[in-house]
C-alpha cells in the first residue's frame, strides 16, 4: 500500500529495457527467466500450499553469474530490475549494490556501505538502533538483491552485509532465515578480474586459509559468514560467454582475450599481434591511429 520513490534504468537512447531484449541470447534468457519464475513461485507459494496441501518449504534462489567484460552482465541486471519493478508499481522491491562507487554507478545501484549502512573502516560493527530502523525501511519490501562486481567483494564485507540484511529485511521478521527471507539474491562478476583487497571470492575454497590472528574477533566472524555466503550463492552458477564487444568474425582477438584469462597467457605470435595495436606503432597509418584514438578500448592507459 505504500508508494516508495523508485526509478528504473534506461538505455542510452532513452528507451526502457524489456524482456524481449535478452531473447536473442540463450545465456541471458535463462538467467532472467530463472529470476522471474522464482518470483512467480514466491508470489503464489501460500496459495499453492492452501490449495494443494503443499508442505515443502519455499526454496529461495541463490545464484552466481560469471562472465568477462562485454558479455552483458550489466545488461542482465537492468532487464531484471526493470521487469521486477514493473510487477510491483507501488513499492521498490529490488536493490542493486556494488563494492565501489564507480561499479555501483555503472549499474544504477549504490555501494555496500551506503545501502547496508556499514562503517567504512570497520564494516563488521553492529548497527545502532537508529540505523537499524533506516535499513528496515530500505529493505522492507525487497524481493531481489543483486550484487555486482563480486570479485571485488571481500568475505568480511559480504558477511557484514548479510548480517545486517538478516536483522532488518522485511521489517526484521525473518532474522532466522538466509538473507532475511529475501527470495532472490544474485552475485555477478568476473573472478579473473581484480580481486578484493581483503580475502574474497577467490579465497573461499583455499583449504589452508586462516584469518590473521591479530584481527578483531567480530571481523573474523564476519569473514566466516561471508565465506558461507559465497558458497550459498554458488547454489546455481551460470556463465555468460558471448562477448558483445568483439565482432563474431574476429577470431584472433577472441583467442587473445581468452588466453589473457588463463595462467598460460599469450604465445609469442599473439604477443606480437597485440603489440601491433600499440598507438606508437610506426606502421600504423594516420587514418588508423586517428580511428584508434577515437574508438579504441585501451588495454594500456594511454598517458
Amino acid at each position: 500500500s505504500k508508494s516508495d520513490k523508485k526509478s528504473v534504468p534506461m538505455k542510452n537512447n532513452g528507451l526502457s529495457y524489456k524482456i524481449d531484449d535478452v531473447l536473442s541470447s540463450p545465456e541471458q534468457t535463462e538467467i532472467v527467466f530463472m529470476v522471474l519464475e522464482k518470483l512467480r513461485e514466491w508470489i503464489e507459494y501460500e496459495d499453492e500450499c492452501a490449495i494443494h496441501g503443499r508442505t515443502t518449504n519455499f526454496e529461495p534462489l541463490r545464484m552466481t553469474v560469471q562472465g568477462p567484460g562485454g558479455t552483458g552482465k550489466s545488461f542482465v541486471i537492468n532487464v531484471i530490475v526493470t521487469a521486477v519493478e514493473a510487477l510491483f508499481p507501488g513499492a521498490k522491491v529490488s536493490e542493486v549494490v556494488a563494492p565501489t562507487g564507480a561499479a555501483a554507478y555503472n549499474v544504477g545501484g549504490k555501494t555496500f556501505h551506503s545501502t547496508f549502512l556499514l562503517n567504512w573502516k570497520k564494516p563488521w560493527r553492529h548497527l545502532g538502533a537508529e540505523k537499524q530502523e533506516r535499513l528496515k525501511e530500505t529493505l522492507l519490501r525487497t524481493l531481489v538483491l543483486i550484487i555486482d562486481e563480486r570479485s571485488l567483494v571481500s568475505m568480511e564485507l559480504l558477511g557484514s552485509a548479510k548480517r545486517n540484511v538478516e536483522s532488518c529485511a522485511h521489517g526484521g521478521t525473518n532474522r532466522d532465515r538466509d538473507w532475511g527471507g529475501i527470495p532472490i539474491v544474485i552475485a555477478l562478476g568476473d573472478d579473473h578480474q581484480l580481486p578484493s583487497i581483503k580475502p574474497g571470492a577467490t579465497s573461499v575454497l583455499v583449504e589452508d586459509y586462516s584469518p590473521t590472528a591479530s584481527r578483531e574477533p567480530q571481523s573474523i566472524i564476519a569473514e566466516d559468514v561471508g565465506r558461507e555466503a559465497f558458497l550459498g550463492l554458488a547454489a546455481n552458477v551460470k556463465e555468460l560467454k558471448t562477448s558483445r564487444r568483439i565482432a563474431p568474425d574476429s577470431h584472433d582477438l577472441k583467442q587473445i582475450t581468452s588466453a589473457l584469462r588463463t595462467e598460460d597467457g599469450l604465445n609469442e605470435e599473439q604477443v606480437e599481434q597485440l603489440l601491433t595495436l600499440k598507438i606508437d606503432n610506426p606502421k600504423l597509418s594516420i587514418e588508423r591511429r586517428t580511428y584508434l584514438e577515437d574508438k579504441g578500448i585501451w588495454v594500456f592507459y594511454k598517458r
Side-chain angles (χ1 to χ4, degrees):
S1 60
K2 181 187 172 192
S3 178
D4 296 327
K5 290 183 178 179
K6 69 174 183 177
S7 60
V8 293
M10 304 293 288
K11 297 178 183 177
N12 292 333
N13 59 9
L15 298 177
S16 300
Y17 288 89
K18 298 180 180 179
I19 294 176
D20 290 353
D21 294 335
V22 300
L23 297 183
S24 61
S25 167
E27 298 170 346
Q28 295 178 356
T29 299
E30 181 183 16
I31 295 167
V32 171
F33 275 83
M34 279 185 70
V35 171
L36 295 180
E37 172 62 19
K38 181 57 65 173
L39 191 56
R40 182 199 63 77
E41 181 187 341
W42 181 85
I43 292 170
E44 298 177 354
Y45 178 73
E46 287 191 12
D47 287 341
E48 284 287 308
C49 290
I51 295 171
H52 301 292
R54 186 173 168 181
T55 57
T56 56
N57 291 327
F58 172 80
E59 187 69 30
L61 177 62
R62 305 291 180 251
M63 181 159 58
T64 294
V65 178
Q66 291 277 352
T71 54
K73 297 187 297 296
S74 299
F75 191 82
V76 166
I77 290 174
N78 290 332
V79 172
I80 289 173
V81 168
T82 302
V84 299
E85 292 295 351
L87 290 172
F88 300 90
K92 186 173 184 291
V93 296
S94 65
E95 290 292 335
V96 181
V97 299
T100 68
Y105 177 82
N106 286 339
V107 289
K110 296 185 293 185
T111 64
F112 268 74
H113 295 79
S114 173
T115 302
F116 304 125
L117 305 180
L118 300 170
N119 182 285
W120 70 273
K121 197 171 184 179
K122 298 179 178 180
W124 38 265
R125 280 186 172 175
H126 287 273
L127 297 178
E130 186 269 336
K131 285 189 174 181
Q132 279 210 22
E133 291 305 311
R134 283 169 53 194
L135 187 54
K136 285 179 181 179
E137 186 70 20
T138 298
L139 303 177
L140 187 61
R141 294 170 174 79
T142 302
L143 303 180
V144 180
L145 173 59
I146 298 176
I147 300 166
D148 196 26
E149 298 294 355
R150 77 171 220 130
S151 71
L152 291 171
V153 180
S154 68
M155 291 187 286
E156 179 188 77
L157 183 62
L158 187 64
S160 301
K162 187 172 187 283
R163 179 205 62 206
N164 286 5
V165 170
E166 289 179 344
S167 65
C168 295
H170 304 168
T173 57
N174 298 313
R175 292 171 180 265
D176 59 339
R177 295 187 183 180
D178 185 61
W179 287 99
I182 293 176
I184 299 165
V185 183
I186 310 168
L188 301 93
D190 177 12
D191 288 351
H192 291 274
Q193 293 186 16
L194 288 173
S196 58
I197 296 174
K198 293 183 177 181
T202 54
S203 302
V204 169
L205 298 178
V206 176
E207 291 183 3
D208 57 351
Y209 172 79
S210 60
T212 307
S214 60
R215 284 168 49 199
E216 296 270 3
Q218 290 298 319
S219 172
I220 296 175
I221 292 172
E223 191 172 84
D224 287 340
V225 173
R227 179 192 298 273
E228 292 302 315
F230 272 121
L231 292 172
L233 289 167
N236 297 279
V237 179
K238 302 298 176 184
E239 187 174 7
L240 296 172
K241 301 178 181 178
T242 306
S243 175
R244 303 303 177 112
R245 296 177 186 164
I246 301 176
D249 57 350
S250 300
H251 301 297
D252 289 346
L253 185 55
K254 286 182 179 180
Q255 291 178 351
I256 287 175
T257 55
S258 176
L260 285 169
R261 296 169 56 76
T262 68
E263 61 183 15
D264 295 331
L266 306 176
N267 59 39
E268 290 188 15
E269 182 181 348
Q270 289 173 322
V271 171
E272 290 298 323
Q273 188 175 357
L274 193 59
L275 289 175
T276 63
L277 301 176
K278 288 184 68 177
I279 197 68
D280 58 357
N281 179 6
K283 295 182 180 180
L284 281 181
S285 66
I286 295 176
E287 293 78 16
R288 181 64 178 169
R289 184 175 286 106
T290 302
Y291 174 83
L292 288 175
E293 288 175 342
D294 183 42
K295 301 291 187 182
I297 296 176
W298 297 82
V299 179
F300 306 99
Y301 190 47
K302 61 181 178 181
R303 303 193 188 285

